């Protein structure tokens, strides 16, 4: 199943960026597990910017693994961040490693991150999950704007609606986490996979092999349920289908799925359409 786009927040941004850069799920898992998060972290030299630790080491590592800009990726990709004014924002163009790190900059723990380019006036940025853990409405609004431009240009191949999304949400690790109620967005054609926290931490990410197997099964179950509903007909569909599953650090599901775990959280990206599919990878 081809994947049309990925939007990630926090660990989902790390996972989604690697997947959109062309890494396989197993390669994503390897790159996110070959070093513990603690080995990449340094004390912040500017703790007044909102965090005790700096993500400079993470940015350096991402520069080794990722292309320099969003525009160089193999698939559409966006990350959710929070601006200096406290507003949720999608970044989908410009410098990539800095934007990915910014989306993972959990307040108090990590120093906010500057992202050069056209969005810099809104920074420094921090984890988008503080305001919106899912970013579904923002991603769908982006898709609708793209479709409107296609229709205005007379594109006969323009879709009638945004493609189906699979949303992977991890149980809250903090009472201060932001919005994550998919039903309240009013969006339809959504598949929801919910996972408990993995128990990983800065020093020990746990067993990636076992976690990948469990997450693979969870994502597969969701896709099979979607395919069965589509075969019966639209009347059998629900707008949001929660799919509970076992704890997971990394989710791998063939060429159409990428996921990973960082700082005790997990995220996945899975196609839910045989044509174009918007993919969501979120966590805080």
């Amino acid at each position: 199943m081809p994947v049309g786009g990925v939007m990630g927040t926090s660990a989902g941004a790390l996972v989604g960026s690697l997947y959109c850069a062309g890494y396989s799920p197993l390669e994503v898992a390897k790159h996110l597990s070959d070093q513990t998060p603690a080995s990449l972290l340094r004390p912040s030299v500017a703790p007044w910017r909102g965090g005790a630790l700096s993500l400079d080491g993470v940015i350096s590592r991402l520069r080794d693994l990722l292309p320099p800009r969003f525009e160089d990726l193999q698939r559409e990709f966006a990350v959710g961040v929070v601006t200096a004014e406290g507003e949720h924002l999608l970044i989908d163009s410009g410098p990539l490693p800095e934007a990915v790190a910014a989306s993972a900059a959990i307040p108090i723990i990590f120093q906010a991150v500057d992202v050069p380019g056209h969005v810099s006036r809104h920074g420094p940025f921090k984890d988008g999950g503080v305001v919106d853990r899912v970013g579904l409405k923002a991603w769908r609004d982006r898709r609708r704007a793209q479709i409107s431009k296609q229709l205005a240009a007379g594109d006969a191949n323009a879709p009638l609606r945004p493609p189906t999304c699979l949303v992977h949400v991890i149980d809250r690790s903090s009472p201060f986490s932001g919005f994550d109620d998919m039903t309240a967005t009013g969006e339809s054609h959504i598949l929801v996979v919910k996972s408990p926290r993995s128990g990983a931490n800065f020093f020990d990410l746990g067993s990636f092999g076992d976690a990948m197997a469990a997450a693979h099964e969870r994502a597969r179950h969701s896709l099979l349920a979607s395919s069965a509903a589509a075969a019966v007909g639209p009347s059998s569909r629900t707008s949001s289908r929660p799919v509970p599953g076992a704890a997971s650090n990394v989710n791998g599901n063939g060429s159409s799925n990428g996921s990973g775990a960082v700082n005790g959280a997990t995220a996945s990206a899975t196609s839910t359409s045989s044509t174009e599919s918007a993919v969501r990878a979120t966590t805080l």
Side-chain angles (χ1 to χ4, degrees), residues 9 19 25 34 43 71 73 76 86 91 97 99 102 135 152 160 190 212 225 236 248:
T9 299
Y19 177 67
D34 59 4
E71 292 82 356
L73 293 169
E76 286 189 55
I91 300 179
L160 298 179
I190 306 164
M212 282 191 70
S236 68
S248 166

Side-chain angles (χ1 to χ4, degrees), residues 3 8 42 48 60 82-83 94 106 110 112 129 137 149 161 166-167 171 213 223 227-228 238 249 275 283:
V3 173
R42 302 290 183 271
W48 57 87
S60 178
V82 171
T83 68
I106 302 171
F110 299 122
K137 185 68 163 57
K149 289 181 179 179
R161 62 167 178 81
L166 186 144
V167 183
D171 283 349
L223 292 174
S227 298
T238 58
N249 287 335
T275 54
T283 183

Side-chain angles (χ1 to χ4, degrees), residues 20-117:
C20 288
Y23 293 99
S24 71
L26 289 176
E27 290 171 331
V28 172
K30 178 182 182 300
H31 287 308
L32 291 179
S33 63
D34 59 4
Q35 292 177 271
T36 61
S39 67
L40 298 174
L41 302 177
R42 302 290 183 271
S44 172
V45 297
W48 57 87
R49 297 190 64 182
L53 299 172
S54 167
L55 287 172
D56 287 349
V58 174
I59 294 173
S60 178
R61 176 62 174 155
L62 290 173
R63 286 173 177 161
D64 291 337
L65 296 172
L66 296 174
R69 300 180 63 82
F70 281 83
E71 292 82 356
D72 301 321
L73 293 169
Q74 296 181 9
R75 293 179 176 85
E76 286 189 55
F77 179 60
V79 301
V81 299
V82 171
T83 68
E85 295 79 27
E87 300 293 327
H88 185 266
L89 176 71
L90 286 191
I91 300 179
D92 61 2
S93 62
L96 177 62
E98 294 86 351
V100 172
S103 186
I106 302 171
I108 301 176
I109 298 175
F110 299 122
Q111 175 184 315
V113 177
D114 290 308
V115 180

Side-chain angles (χ1 to χ4, degrees), residues 166-171 180-183 191-197 218 222 240-247 266:
L166 186 144
V167 183
H168 188 190
V169 184
I170 311 304
D171 283 349
D180 62 2
D181 184 352
M182 268 69 69
T183 303
L191 293 175
V192 180
V193 175
K194 293 186 177 181
S195 297
R197 288 177 289 170
R218 183 173 57 252
S222 179
S240 179
R241 184 193 307 275
V243 182
T266 66

Side-chain angles (χ1 to χ4, degrees), residues 108-128:
I108 301 176
I109 298 175
F110 299 122
Q111 175 184 315
V113 177
D114 290 308
V115 180
H118 67 287
V119 299
S120 61
R121 66 185 185 278
H122 299 295
F125 301 94
K126 56 189 176 184
D127 193 325

